[in-house]
């Protein structure tokens, strides 16, 4: 966490307590008189904090400043999460007192604020000389209220807060678990090498378009499973970590290589051991030469038509930023391996055969009409006051009328359908491919002979009667 972030929080805390009594940082043992609404910690300047200790029944957590960044010393000195550390400081600075509960040390155990109590969470802040700035103990929830029992660590007096107090009590709670966060639209290509089977590529030639390459004749993409593979590395975090030097026994057999449009290229290697998946990560820059781009950016900024070239300038600046991001990425991740979720790991290196299926026998596309009887609560339904069972009954009663007069299908559709796009057009759906419709609908429609009418078909939209026209 950087100094600027801490200073912003310090200013916020100072504004919040401008009317309260100041507790001197150099005199942490000074107690104060209770008044309702008072802040437990009236002043804590985050820029003075060099170390944070959190002790609970579960674990002792230690976070230490390392330059302009905090690390979780109790978790292999991995970089701390700015968000979680900020949240801790902000939440503790907002603790307001609702009542004085006790001034007797004998009551600490029962109220959960004794430091050795199973319910206690002790938080201490230290300065750069390792002197305690302030400490506090959060105990049990106060019975019959939404508040908690709290006290300053150096004071026997116990107070009840006016609201919930939450302190995360595991070292991993304060670790920055994010490995990568790529915008999906910025991914140009994903190359996958599964542990078994052939390598393959999922390409995105332009934003919003994703295509599984190399599908053999007679096969097609299975639903949109390949899009899950494509997006697997767009955001990735970990569940646990270990130094790479301590995991030499891992066998990395699968991988995914992600190339972004800005020239950043990420490689994620996957290993499995004892039902756990581990990942190692590396990045490289494969975009245009930095020196060339730098000169072009400088020239464009000095040109009179800078606004005209704004989009091109933005792309070139993105190349420069990507190269810096790659260096930061490697500096952070090159010495670590990460345990990741099974679903994420399996999608990173999913076998090609899992993404394709046989093209079904029959036509690739057909035309059809349909009558939809919907109900309140169905997907995209505008129907009010009709239950699902009532809709089913209506469809089943209509079916024999439709089958008795197939030439009047269009007329009956206009009179009965709840599909606003088909009403007035005889329920005509035009020409469509199998995967253009929900599966239950397509399965029924593509089985029909031309001119045939289906039985009642249930989908998430309601109940359909389908007539295939071509």
């Amino acid at each position: 966490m950087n100094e600027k972030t801490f200073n912003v929080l310090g200013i916020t805390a100072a504004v919040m307590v401008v009317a309260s009594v100041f507790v001197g940082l150099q005199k942490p043992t000074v107690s104060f008189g209770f008044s309702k609404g008072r802040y437990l910690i009236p002043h804590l300047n985050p820029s003075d904090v060099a170390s944070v200790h959190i002790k609970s029944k579960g674990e002792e957590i230690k976070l230490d400043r390392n330059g302009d960044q905090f690390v979780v010393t109790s978790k292999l000195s991995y970089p701390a999460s700015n968000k979680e550390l900020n949240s801790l400081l902000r939440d503790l600075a907002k603790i307001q007192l609702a009542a004085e509960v006790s001034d007797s040390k004998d009551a600490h155990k029962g109220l959960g604020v004794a430091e050795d109590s199973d319910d206690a969470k002790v938080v201490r802040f230290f300065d750069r000389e390792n002197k305690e700035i302030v400490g506090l103990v959060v105990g049990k929830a106060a019975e019959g209220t939404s508040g908690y029992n709290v006290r300053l660590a150096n004071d026997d007096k116990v107070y009840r807060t006016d609201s919930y107090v939450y302190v995360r009590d595991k070292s991993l709670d304060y670790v920055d678990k994010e490995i990568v966060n790529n915008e999906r639209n910025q991914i140009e290509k994903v190359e996958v090498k599964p542990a078994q089977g052939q390598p393959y590529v999922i390409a995105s030639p332009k934003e919003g378009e994703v295509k599984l390459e190399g599908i053999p004749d007679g096969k097609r993409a299975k639903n949109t499973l390949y899009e899950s593979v494509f997006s697997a590395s767009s955001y990735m975090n970990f569940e646990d970590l270990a130094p790479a030097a301590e995991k030499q026994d891992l066998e990395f057999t699968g991988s995914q290589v992600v190339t972004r449009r800005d020239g950043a290229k990420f490689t994620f290697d996957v290993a499995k051991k004892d039902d756990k998946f581990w990942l190692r990560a590396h990045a490289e820059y494969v975009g245009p030469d930095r020196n060339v781009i730098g000169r072009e950016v400088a020239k464009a900024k000095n040109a009179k038509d800078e606004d005209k070239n704004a989009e091109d300038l933005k792309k070139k600046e993105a190349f420069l930023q990507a190269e810096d991001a790659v260096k930061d990425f490697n500096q952070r991740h090159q010495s670590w391996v990460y345990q990741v979720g099974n679903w994420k790991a399996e999608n990173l290196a999913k076998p090609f055969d899992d993404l394709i299926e046989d093209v079904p026998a029959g036509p690739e596309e057909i035309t059809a009409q349909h009558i939809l009887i919907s109900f309140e609560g169905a997907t995209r339904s505008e129907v009010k006051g009709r239950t699902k069972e009532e809709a089913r009954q209506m469809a089943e009663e209509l079916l024999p009328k439709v089958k008795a007069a197939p030439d009047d299908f269009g007329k009956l559709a206009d009179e009965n359908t709840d599909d606003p796009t088909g009403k007035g057009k005889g329920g005509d759906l035009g020409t469509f491919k199998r995967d253009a419709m929900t599966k239950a609908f397509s399965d029924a429609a593509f089985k029909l002979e031309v001119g045939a009418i289906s039985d009642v078909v249930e989908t998430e939209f309601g109940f359909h009667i389908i007539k295939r026209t071509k």
Side-chain angles (χ1 to χ4, degrees), residues 368-371 409-410 413-414 417 419 421-430:
Q369 298 165 275
H370 83 134
I371 300 170
F409 191 97
D414 288 339
T417 190
D419 178 6
T421 62
K423 190 178 285 289
K425 299 191 300 182
D428 185 29
L429 294 169

Side-chain angles (χ1 to χ4, degrees), residues 182-302:
N182 289 320
E183 283 188 39
R184 190 175 188 274
N185 283 340
Q186 290 305 306
I187 299 176
E188 182 177 60
K189 180 174 62 174
V190 171
E191 302 166 84
V192 181
K193 180 183 177 183
Q196 296 179 335
Q198 69 185 72
Y200 59 94
V201 174
I202 306 172
S204 176
K206 61 182 180 180
E207 292 185 13
E209 180 180 320
V210 179
K211 181 181 179 182
L212 175 62
E213 297 185 345
I215 300 177
D217 292 340
K219 299 284 185 178
R220 67 175 184 180
K222 186 186 295 183
N223 299 320
T224 56
L225 287 178
Y226 66 94
E227 295 208 20
S228 296
V229 177
F230 182 84
S231 301
S233 62
S234 59
Y235 176 75
M236 196 183 315
N237 59 7
F238 60 82
E239 298 177 355
D240 205 350
L241 70 153
E246 296 179 8
K247 291 288 184 178
Q248 296 293 324
D249 58 334
L250 291 176
E251 185 178 357
F252 293 91
T253 56
S255 67
Q256 182 175 119
V257 181
V258 180
T259 303
R260 291 194 325 209
R261 301 185 200 281
D262 61 6
K265 185 175 182 179
F266 301 87
T267 300
F268 303 104
D269 297 318
V270 181
K272 185 178 182 181
K273 183 179 181 183
D274 300 329
D275 295 324
K276 293 181 179 179
F277 285 92
W278 292 87
L279 179 142
R280 66 184 178 194
H282 175 76
E284 58 183 310
Y285 176 72
V286 294
D289 182 84
R290 182 185 182 93
N291 294 325
V292 174
I293 291 294
R295 288 194 295 269
E296 292 177 353
V297 167
K299 183 179 179 180
K301 286 184 175 181
N302 291 327

Side-chain angles (χ1 to χ4, degrees), residues 72 77-78 111 145 174 176 184 190 206 246 251 291 324 354 370 406 410:
V72 185
S77 295
Y78 196 82
L111 296 170
T145 75
Y174 295 93
D176 187 349
R184 190 175 188 274
V190 171
K206 61 182 180 180
E246 296 179 8
E251 185 178 357
N291 294 325
D324 291 337
D354 289 357
H370 83 134

